[in-house]
Amino acid sequence: MSQAGKDLKEAAARRGSFLQTLRAVAWSFFGVRRGAGYEEDVAKLNPVHVVIAGVIGAALFVLALVLMVNWVIGSGVAGS
């Protein structure tokens, strides 16, 4: 097995909790993260969890935007 394959397998076996992952992804959406916190995340978090949390975060963000646009259009503020 290549070194990259071993590194990926090792990274996927990390035991970081999904809640930690959600918190790290939420901070990344805001673009605010300390360097030390980033290094800690890289060492602890499971990359599979990061991808799943990122997709969930993006879907919630798009849903929030759609709901806000529908609310603004429905309230009549946009037509004034």
Side-chain angles (χ1 to χ4, degrees), residues 16-25 45 49:
S17 74
F18 195 68
L19 182 60
Q20 287 174 320
T21 305
L22 286 175
R23 190 173 355 166
V25 169
L45 299 180
H49 291 170

Side-chain angles (χ1 to χ4, degrees), residues 1 4 26 28-29 61:
M1 182 180 279
S28 70
F29 269 88
F61 179 71

Side-chain angles (χ1 to χ4, degrees), residues 68-80:
M68 186 169 54
V69 167
N70 283 334
W71 175 71
V72 167
I73 290 172
S75 69
V77 174
S80 297

Side-chain angles (χ1 to χ4, degrees), residues 21-60:
T21 305
L22 286 175
R23 190 173 355 166
V25 169
W27 280 116
S28 70
F29 269 88
F30 289 113
V32 181
R33 194 73 173 135
R34 294 186 334 243
Y38 171 77
E39 294 297 328
E40 182 181 324
D41 291 343
V42 169
K44 287 185 177 180
L45 299 180
N46 185 330
V48 175
H49 291 170
V50 173
V51 170
I52 293 169
V55 169
I56 290 171
L60 289 174

